[in-house]
Amino acid sequence: MADAGNQSCLMAAENTVSLLVCLFHELEEWAGLGQVEDYLSVLEYLLWVFTPLAIVFIVPFLIVILLYLSILFLHVYKRKNQLREAYCNNLWDGARKTLATLWDGHGAIWHGYEIHGMEKIPDKGPALIVYYHGAIPVDYYYFLANVIIQKGRTCHSVADHFLFKIPGFKLLLEVFSVIHGPQEECVRALRNGHLLGISPGGVREALFSDETYPLLWGKRKGFAQVAIDSQVPVIPMFTQNVREGFRSLGTLRFFRWVYERFRLPIAPVYGGFPVKFRTFLGDPIPYDPNVNAAELAEKVQQAIQSLINKHQKIPGSILRALLERFHTRHKDHLQ
């Protein structure tokens, strides 16, 4: 029937224009182009549904890209200054300050980052900073940047072993004095007069804590023993809305099972929402020779829990955190 219709169409064509129109309709019917509009409507609907999901999973990778750009900068900086290396004891100071400025700018622009209690960080001498670990500890990166900019010193950090296995990260970890955490090495850093940052919850807290902000420390007290052996104060730290910036799917049993069974941190992280970040530093807990590691660990945990109770609305809300950011910006403009 279709062929007969096409033949009649061609036979009825009286001029070139009519013939071209007829041929176009034949081609459209043969290729099924009449359904293109339906296909486009379906595609538009799928894009509308999946674009927000894609964005919240892509943004965390942008943080990883920024880290790799930092590493690339360090490699370039190293090549550029090879001839001066023999004459300069602090080859990486310029690189650290430049990257600190970049990360501080990122925090200010994207999260309106603020830090309260910076005066509690000593200008000289050691201290152990203990903090709550977000799904991606970008707030801790901002804190490190502020220590470099405001205090003119580098805070050493303890990181999980898997970071040292990521291709390309070695230089970044070395330049920013990141160690994998043997107690002896931590004590050595503190006794040498450095600041040291550690999160007792580590990867477990990063992946399996949630918007209610539970501290997942278990019975860990090694950090407390480090502080006692080094005879240094402990400074608790917490960042408001850090779980609203990035969240993890670690609450799903499968990812928890994989981590506990194989120690593989594969739980997906999503977010990158421009929520308000405020880091709060608590009062230093001084060294007390009469306090053992278990007692000190309990004191520090209570101090961080107190910061959470005081500065974080539970459960956390991404929408509320976004509104806080807007409200803060509005107040700044009015001032």
Side-chain angles (χ1 to χ4, degrees):
M1 294 293 293
D3 290 340
N6 293 337
Q7 291 293 333
S8 61
C9 174
L10 292 172
M11 292 176 63
E14 298 180 353
N15 53 44
T16 304
V17 175
S18 300
L19 180 62
L20 290 175
V21 171
C22 188
L23 288 173
F24 175 78
H25 284 301
E26 281 190 64
L27 179 62
E28 183 181 47
E29 183 178 347
W30 174 76
L33 295 178
Q35 300 177 357
V36 169
E37 185 175 350
D38 294 334
Y39 293 146
L40 290 177
S41 297
V42 173
L43 181 60
E44 183 181 4
Y45 173 76
L46 291 176
L47 287 173
W48 180 78
V49 171
F50 289 107
T51 296
L53 293 175
I55 290 174
V56 298
F57 282 100
I58 289 172
V59 171
F61 287 100
L62 297 180
I63 296 295
V64 176
I65 292 172
L66 186 57
L67 287 170
Y68 272 105
L69 289 176
S70 300
I71 294 167
L72 178 61
F73 170 81
L74 290 174
H75 279 289
V76 173
Y77 191 88
K78 182 177 181 179
R79 297 292 182 183
K80 183 180 179 181
N81 291 277
Q82 277 182 339
L83 295 177
R84 289 169 26 184
E85 187 169 0
Y87 307 99
C88 183
N89 293 325
N90 297 309
L91 173 68
W92 297 110
D93 273 358
R96 276 191 289 263
K97 290 178 181 177
T98 301
L99 287 178
T101 302
L102 291 173
W103 279 95
D104 183 57
H106 179 273
I109 294 170
W110 195 247
H111 292 290
Y113 181 71
E114 299 174 7
I115 185 165
H116 300 268
M118 196 65 174
E119 69 280 357
K120 297 171 184 177
I121 301 294
D123 295 329
K124 294 181 180 180
L128 181 65
I129 295 101
V130 179
Y131 62 96
Y132 172 84
H133 203 305
I136 293 181
V138 66
D139 61 308
Y140 183 67
Y141 306 156
Y142 301 152
F143 166 74
L144 294 179
N146 274 268
V147 170
I148 293 172
I149 294 170
Q150 296 186 37
K151 297 291 182 177
R153 57 187 310 198
T154 302
C155 178
H156 293 221
S157 304
V158 177
D160 194 88
H161 289 77
F162 88 90
L163 274 181
F164 294 83
K165 299 177 182 178
I166 299 178
F169 266 49
K170 182 180 178 181
L171 179 60
L172 182 69
L173 299 177
E174 287 179 355
V175 171
F176 284 90
S177 304
V178 180
I179 58 179
H180 59 82
Q183 289 189 21
E184 298 78 11
E185 196 170 352
C186 294
V187 171
R188 187 181 307 116
L190 290 167
R191 286 181 175 173
N192 287 335
H194 298 296
L195 299 170
L196 180 67
I198 185 171
S199 173
V203 174
R204 181 176 282 102
E205 191 167 86
L207 297 181
F208 308 122
S209 186
D210 56 29
E211 63 272 17
T212 62
Y213 290 83
L215 296 173
L216 304 183
W217 294 11
K219 296 182 179 180
R220 293 185 178 181
K221 56 184 180 181
F223 71 96
Q225 191 61 55
V226 166
I228 291 172
D229 292 344
S230 308
Q231 300 184 9
V232 300
V234 179
I235 303 174
M237 186 174 81
F238 169 73
T239 298
Q240 182 186 66
N241 296 327
V242 67
R243 280 278 159 189
E244 281 58 71
F246 292 92
R247 287 190 174 176
S248 165
L249 296 181
T251 52
L252 300 178
R253 291 183 179 180
F254 171 75
F255 298 117
R256 185 65 178 262
W257 178 82
V258 169
Y259 179 77
E260 300 296 351
R261 181 70 176 82
F262 304 104
R263 285 296 183 269
L264 294 176
I266 63 170
V269 174
Y270 66 96
F273 305 110
V275 300
K276 183 67 178 179
F277 277 179
R278 294 184 182 93
T279 292
F280 295 93
L281 292 158
D283 293 330
I285 302 172
Y287 166 70
D288 185 346
N290 299 315
V291 173
N292 61 36
E295 293 170 339
L296 180 58
E298 180 65 23
K299 275 190 174 184
V300 176
Q301 187 167 355
Q302 289 177 359
I304 293 182
Q305 188 62 58
S306 177
L307 290 174
I308 294 173
N309 295 341
K310 183 177 180 181
H311 300 292
Q312 183 65 54
K313 294 180 179 179
I314 304 293
S317 164
I318 295 173
L319 178 59
R320 183 174 60 234
L322 287 169
L323 292 175
E324 287 177 7
R325 174 73 192 285
F326 173 79
H327 180 65
T328 302
R329 291 180 62 183
H330 181 65
K331 284 171 58 179
D332 290 342
H333 285 309
L334 291 177
Q335 292 175 356

